[in-house]
Amino acid sequence: MRTLEMDHLKNMREYFRSGITKEASWRESQLKGLRRFLVEKENDIFMALMQDLGKHRLEAFRDEIGTLVKTLNLALKCLKDWMSSKKAPLPAIALLSSAEIVHEPLGLVLIISSWNLPFGVSLEPLIGAIAAGNAAVLKPSELSPACSSLLASGIATYLDNKAIKVIQGGPQESDQLLRQKWDKIFFTGSARVGSIVMSAAAKHLTPVTLELGGKCPAVVDSLSSSWDLEVAVKRILVGKYGTCAGQACIAIDYVIVEKRCCSKLVELMKVWIKKMFGDNPQHSNTIARIVNKQHLTRLMKLLDDQKVQESVVYGGSIDEENLFIEPTILVDPPLDAAIMLDEVFGPLLPIITVDKIEDSIEFISSRPKPLALYVFTKNKTLQNRMISETSSGSVTFNDAILQYAADSLPFGGVGGSGFGMYHGKFSFDTFSHQKAIVRRSFLTDFWYRYPPWTANKFQLLEVSYNYDYLGLVLVILGLKRPSKRQIIPC
Ligand code: NAD
């Protein structure tokens, strides 16, 4: 392993066992250290994100620094409450007992993250891991090297390195890390690598959270008010081109609209692309660049098909040298083309037309479950049908991306878009074991719990499972008759 020897992992595990990371004061100091890193190194973070992804400062603040500081403030405010044990009720058979749920840290955890939100998807889970009292190794992506190196130096400077370390590198380093035994692996990335992670975890029966991608649709109903349609268009464009140029797991992948509304939607999109990114978006600093040549080639291949080319109604120009692809709109590319089968992850926006907007339900539910579904409609019946007849990590009506910023909502996929969830308190839970504690008194001891088994004992046992304490006492005292039951003779 390049920067972490196996001895380091052993030392980290021993450090965890010493109990230091479980203390509230340690957790608090680490969360504050992380917040200091984000605040004091804000400018370096902006520069690293610009260098790796051409990400504008506002976007960098919106999706990374701002969101993370917000999460840290929440974790610091709620830490004691999250850590406190929670009382739980017991059945009547446990008369004079108490029960609680204790949140126990899992141990030494591994976080592997992707390049598109290099700070967001690395530190958001790390906040949960620290808040829950774990030791953690973070392996950020090799494809955002300036960000990964800043994460490594920042964490080395601001956090307790006996418990928290960053390992830089790519698949080879990941592979070496995955051969070790972890108490939890939290992975953000592609489904292909997700399955590699899961196979490695299976060898040690390690629990896994997989935050994967997929094709997130945006359904646009026939909005009658021009204001509503304009707002929808702006939100769609920012949820595509204004979110790391579409290189985001929750970016809109494609749009579905009724045939009769399509040209109006496209015309409005063209107007607003110009308003947002200027007449020559290549010179705009508000649209991110494609992460590298390999991804640019991948996106170019998505367009490299005559029928797909014919469906381009706007944009399409590419500057290979500067890793730039113009915001591009396609109408009805073939459904069996790669652009409609693979996650786009870039500034290409296919629009699929349907006869009736309700047809979008079948379209979405017959494809792999997306991480996010966006539906622009005021029609409550359609909203309810979207919730109940489709499956996705989240559903947002009349906006896009917004759900990512809400600490109160679980963030995660379902089916092909992953499993497990985080953000806010959900991150704390993801990195905790919820341990059941029962404290029993010696004072009450029901004879019917012990053999030899009789029909009468069976009946009393049933009563103590189905009645509260008072009901049970009344039955035992003969003041209440339990409902008749066909008892298997003992
Ligand atoms: P990726 O799967 O290629 O890489 C993710 C991580 O895995 C990186 O750290 C990489 O070094 C490591 N890795 C790569 N190959 C590996 C291998 N063979 N063995 C072990 N580790 C390996 O994904 P990416 O290109 O970095 O990110 C893009 C994908 O991530 C998209 O599909 C996107 O939708 C998804 N994503 C999901 C979320 C989410 O929260 N659900 C967030 C961001 C990105």
Side-chain angles (χ1 to χ4, degrees):
M1 221 172 280
R2 207 161 71 194
T3 48
L4 186 81
E5 300 302 328
M6 282 315 131
D7 271 0
H8 286 134
L9 290 186
K10 201 165 144 253
N11 294 344
M12 288 178 85
R13 207 171 267 289
E14 274 166 18
Y15 193 67
F16 170 76
R17 284 211 194 98
S18 76
I20 290 172
T21 68
K22 292 183 187 172
E23 288 167 16
S25 57
W26 182 88
R27 305 185 199 196
E28 237 172 62
S29 69
Q30 299 311 299
L31 295 172
K32 283 184 180 160
L34 208 46
R35 190 171 57 185
R36 273 206 320 283
F37 163 58
L38 291 169
V39 173
E40 289 171 16
K41 297 290 173 192
E42 187 185 74
N43 211 34
D44 295 354
I45 296 175
F46 283 147
M47 276 162 35
L49 285 165
M50 180 51 77
Q51 193 177 323
D52 286 339
L53 297 162
K55 209 181 250 194
H56 191 277
R57 291 167 87 92
L58 189 144
E59 234 190 283
F61 182 84
R62 182 194 66 189
D63 298 342
E64 312 227 33
I65 302 174
T67 321
L68 288 165
V69 171
K70 187 164 66 62
T71 306
L72 281 160
N73 289 339
L74 178 85
L76 282 161
K77 185 169 150 226
C78 302
L79 186 65
K80 296 253 164 66
D81 175 47
W82 292 351
M83 286 174 69
S84 65
S85 60
K86 307 285 180 290
K87 290 250 167 294
L90 282 170
I93 196 165
L95 191 67
L96 296 186
S97 307
S98 65
E100 60 190 322
I101 300 162
V102 164
H103 293 90
E104 183 181 89
L106 296 172
L108 180 56
V109 305
L110 173 64
I111 298 167
I112 300 179
S113 56
S114 62
W115 51 264
N116 60 317
L117 286 166
F119 293 91
V121 296
S122 300
L123 299 185
E124 195 76 44
L126 185 64
I127 294 169
I130 293 171
N134 298 279
V137 169
L138 166 66
K139 211 295 287 165
S141 173
E142 73 284 11
L143 303 189
S144 46
C147 296
S148 296
S149 129
L150 185 54
L151 275 167
S153 63
I155 283 176
T157 312
Y158 286 85
L159 300 191
D160 176 359
N161 296 151
K162 291 196 183 107
I164 304 159
K165 287 188 194 290
V166 174
I167 300 296
Q168 294 187 73
Q172 200 190 333
E173 285 73 16
S174 254
D175 177 62
Q176 281 180 286
L177 286 167
L178 288 170
R179 287 171 196 268
Q180 312 309 312
K181 179 170 167 41
W182 302 93
D183 297 305
K184 164 100 192 178
I185 302 176
F186 188 104
F187 172 80
T188 301
S190 62
R192 180 187 67 81
V193 180
S195 85
I196 296 175
V197 169
M198 219 168 140
S199 319
K203 290 199 185 96
H204 300 287
L205 294 180
T206 301
V208 190
T209 293
L210 296 184
E211 296 287 341
L212 310 177
K215 292 180 83 63
C216 302
V219 176
V220 187
D221 196 3
S222 51
L223 298 162
S224 49
S225 131
S226 53
W227 166 265
D228 292 351
L229 185 61
E230 197 151 339
V231 171
V233 163
K234 286 189 279 180
R235 292 177 183 175
I236 289 170
L237 296 182
V238 86
K240 178 69 171 182
Y241 311 116
T243 305
C244 201
Q247 301 167 105
C249 53
I250 48 170
I252 293 170
D253 190 280
Y254 63 95
V255 168
I256 305 181
V257 67
E258 283 186 3
K259 251 186 200 75
R260 63 189 175 93
C261 306
C262 184
S263 57
K264 198 169 166 194
L265 182 74
V266 171
E267 288 318 306
L268 213 49
M269 281 179 167
K270 289 180 187 171
V271 170
W272 274 100
I273 287 176
K274 282 193 196 303
K275 284 194 192 178
M276 287 182 182
F277 307 108
D279 284 336
N280 192 346
Q282 190 173 352
H283 298 140
S284 155
N285 64 354
T286 55
I287 185 157
R289 296 304 184 248
I290 306 306
V291 64
N292 59 23
K293 186 88 184 39
Q294 192 192 341
H295 274 274
L296 188 100
T297 310
R298 177 186 63 78
L299 286 160
M300 284 165 66
K301 273 200 191 134
L302 294 183
L303 294 174
D304 188 19
D305 171 302
Q306 202 196 330
K307 285 206 172 121
V308 171
Q309 276 292 333
E310 284 165 10
S311 72
V312 174
V313 295
Y314 184 82
S317 71
I318 295 168
D319 174 356
E320 288 188 50
E321 202 183 321
N322 292 305
L323 299 173
F324 174 81
I325 298 185
E326 189 184 2
T328 300
I329 302 173
L330 305 89
V331 173
D332 283 329
L335 293 180
D336 58 358
I339 198 165
M340 283 313 297
L341 297 174
D342 302 340
E343 184 180 14
V344 172
F345 224 62
L348 315 175
L349 182 62
I351 298 179
I352 302 300
T353 61
V354 287
D355 292 334
K356 296 189 298 336
I357 203 65
E358 288 76 12
D359 297 345
S360 60
I361 296 174
E362 168 61 19
F363 191 95
I364 293 162
S365 55
S366 61
R367 288 173 166 72
K369 298 177 181 184
L371 183 59
L373 167 61
Y374 305 111
V375 187
F376 293 82
T377 183
K378 287 176 153 179
N379 178 338
K380 288 272 180 281
T381 311
L382 184 64
Q383 291 192 359
N384 291 336
R385 286 194 63 193
M386 283 291 176
I387 294 172
S388 63
E389 295 178 37
T390 67
S391 180
S392 56
S394 63
V395 186
T396 302
F397 293 108
N398 303 325
D399 211 330
I401 316 290
L402 204 60
Q403 77 281 8
Y404 183 76
D407 298 313
S408 55
L409 292 172
F411 183 85
V414 57
S417 51
F419 55 82
M421 55 193 143
Y422 74 133
H423 283 200
K425 165 82 159 52
F426 301 99
S427 301
F428 176 85
D429 290 340
T430 283
F431 286 100
S432 301
H433 163 56
Q434 301 201 17
K435 187 153 78 177
I437 311 291
V438 176
R439 296 179 210 276
R440 185 79 171 98
S441 155
F442 286 107
L443 282 180
T444 53
D445 196 35
F446 295 124
W447 72 97
Y448 57 83
R449 282 183 60 196
Y450 306 114
W453 305 127
T454 64
N456 179 256
K457 286 182 181 178
F458 196 135
Q459 193 169 28
L460 281 166
L461 191 71
E462 192 188 18
V463 168
S464 56
Y465 270 54
N466 294 318
Y467 285 73
D468 59 11
Y469 292 140
L470 182 64
L472 176 65
V473 171
L474 291 177
V475 170
I476 290 173
L477 295 176
L479 300 173
K480 185 180 172 118
R481 284 188 71 80
S483 51
K484 274 247 174 313
R485 179 189 198 277
Q486 206 52 43
I487 293 174
I488 309 153
C490 293

